[in-house]
Amino acid sequence: MEEDVHAILELKRRRKAVILAHNYQSPEIFHGVADIVGDSLALAREAQKVDADIILMAGVHFMAETAKLMNPEKMVLIPDAEAGCSLAESILPEDVARLRQRYPGRPVVTYVNTSAAVKAMSDICCTSGNAKKVVESLGVSEVIMLPDEFLALNVAKETHVKILTWKGHCEVHERFSPEDIAALRRQYPGVTVLTHPECPPDVVEAGDFSGSTAVMADYVRENKPARVALITECSMSDNIAQASPETDFVKPCNLCPHMKRITLKNIRRSLEELQEEVIIKPEYFVSARQAVERMLAVK
Ligand code: 13P
Ligand code: SF4
């Protein structure tokens, strides 16, 4: 492991590369080799500012595509092109076209967890960190929000805007149930339960607070709960535990097999061989970038 870390640090210098890593990456990536870490929104924002020749995304494919959309002139690498996402796979551009036909005039708000081809069919993107703000920024009474049904239902509870949903789910968060949370509270009386908005609405309701991975990390840092359960991907607790030594993390977590495809070994190989390079078809590029830029302009 140490040898791979040293090799990656040297390759980063030699290639003038930066590594962006999502909060769900394994601790040795998150703490060992990443230059910038964060939630999907932070990674999209930071991708705009990167000063390097190469961006390596330690995350899943849609995140690498977003980085490429913001940096057309830079080489963007993903160590394993098969690192997908059940949400991104739940919807195709043809589905968006059908939804537009069925609900004419409603803006399409698309979660960043989608392909560039789907983003290109959208009016604006959102993440779990800004979904409510994005929906309300449009100044309309009804929107289509896709593909995450649970995120859409969770946002719908907090806004007067009517939200039409799609049937996509995150395979990591859909597996949690309110019974899991009840069992946790029985086993650890007083535990603070933080849920991710990709969880089913009854799970979010059973928790104490809900937010994106960055919002969860901020909550723990600022509130210093004695004991916390993060209802999300397993690496999250491992990654933030170091910054919050006074908090005891209980881990009723689920692994994301897509995030876990990224390893120190394939990051090293990716920087050595400059593979896999992320390419976005020119026919999608401009519209997909616009949807991301509109999201980033929402304050
Ligand atoms: P955030 O980091 O934006 O909360 O997203 C979670 C997620 O599931 C990313 O794939
Ligand atoms: Fe997709 Fe869920 Fe994995 Fe995130 S955690 S990449 S939303 S499957």
Side-chain angles (χ1 to χ4, degrees):
M1 182 163 100
E2 227 171 276
E3 198 208 317
D4 287 325
V5 170
H6 285 305
I8 291 166
L9 298 181
E10 174 51 28
L11 279 160
K12 282 203 297 182
R13 271 191 294 276
R14 184 149 54 85
R15 298 273 195 211
K16 206 165 181 294
V18 297
I19 298 183
L20 268 55
H22 186 261
N23 288 330
Y24 293 159
Q25 289 295 294
S26 308
E28 66 274 16
I29 296 173
F30 188 91
H31 292 294
V33 297
D35 297 287
I36 295 164
V37 294
D39 67 355
S40 311
L41 182 58
L43 294 182
R45 283 227 170 92
E46 292 300 326
Q48 280 181 303
K49 307 179 198 156
V50 165
D51 176 25
D53 295 340
I54 296 174
I55 297 174
L56 182 140
M57 179 57 73
V60 292
H61 197 261
F62 75 80
M63 293 175 176
E65 281 194 333
T66 304
K68 182 66 183 178
L69 288 171
M70 305 321 293
N71 292 280
E73 72 300 339
K74 294 192 171 89
M75 176 181 272
V76 175
L77 298 172
I78 183 154
D80 185 335
E82 300 292 307
C85 168
S86 65
L87 281 167
E89 274 142 38
S90 74
I91 189 152
L92 298 169
E94 303 85 273
D95 299 316
V96 188
R98 272 194 291 273
L99 281 169
R100 282 197 182 277
Q101 249 176 9
R102 191 160 157 211
Y103 303 110
R106 275 68 148 199
V108 174
V109 179
T110 292
Y111 198 25
V112 285
N113 298 39
T114 44
S115 65
V118 165
K119 287 186 177 74
M121 300 283 294
S122 314
D123 294 286
I124 188 165
C125 286
C126 73
T127 72
S128 63
N130 64 9
K132 178 176 180 273
K133 261 195 206 160
V134 166
V135 164
E136 293 183 346
S137 75
L138 298 170
V140 295
S141 57
E142 205 169 351
V143 302
I144 301 168
M145 192 169 169
L146 52 88
D148 189 344
E149 183 183 20
F150 296 151
L151 174 67
L153 293 173
N154 286 321
V155 173
K157 285 191 292 183
E158 292 179 3
T159 179
H160 55 279
V161 180
K162 184 171 176 210
I163 300 183
L164 303 162
T165 64
W166 182 249
K167 55 184 187 309
H169 297 146
C170 162
E171 68 188 78
V172 173
H173 293 97
E174 72 175 347
R175 278 188 281 151
F176 293 109
S177 71
E179 293 71 43
D180 294 336
I181 295 183
L184 259 177
R185 291 201 193 279
R186 275 195 303 277
Q187 196 179 349
Y188 303 102
V191 65
T192 300
V193 179
L194 308 187
T195 60
H196 194 275
E198 289 171 9
C199 292
D202 54 0
V203 171
V204 169
E205 213 122 277
D208 298 305
F209 180 79
S210 184
S212 77
T213 56
V215 171
M216 284 182 177
D218 291 346
Y219 183 100
V220 174
R221 208 175 33 248
E222 285 160 21
N223 294 281
K224 304 188 189 338
R227 181 173 273 157
V228 75
L230 305 183
I231 306 300
T232 191
E233 213 273 347
C234 299
S235 291
M236 198 50 214
S237 296
D238 298 331
N239 289 337
I240 68 170
Q242 207 168 302
S244 298
E246 59 286 285
T247 296
D248 176 29
F249 290 80
V250 291
K251 297 177 189 166
C253 63
N254 290 326
L255 275 172
C256 174
H258 311 290
M259 288 282 179
K260 270 30 208 199
R261 291 185 86 105
I262 310 301
T263 62
L264 285 177
K265 289 253 174 283
N266 61 21
I267 290 175
R268 179 177 177 175
R269 196 171 54 238
S270 181
L271 286 171
E272 276 165 359
E273 298 172 7
L274 301 181
Q275 296 287 341
E276 297 281 332
E277 188 177 358
V278 176
I279 309 282
I280 295 176
K281 287 195 179 150
E283 61 262 41
Y284 306 140
F285 203 98
V286 173
S287 313
R289 180 179 159 118
Q290 247 168 26
V292 177
E293 277 178 334
R294 284 192 196 119
M295 167 185 87
L296 293 174
V298 173
K299 293 290 169 237

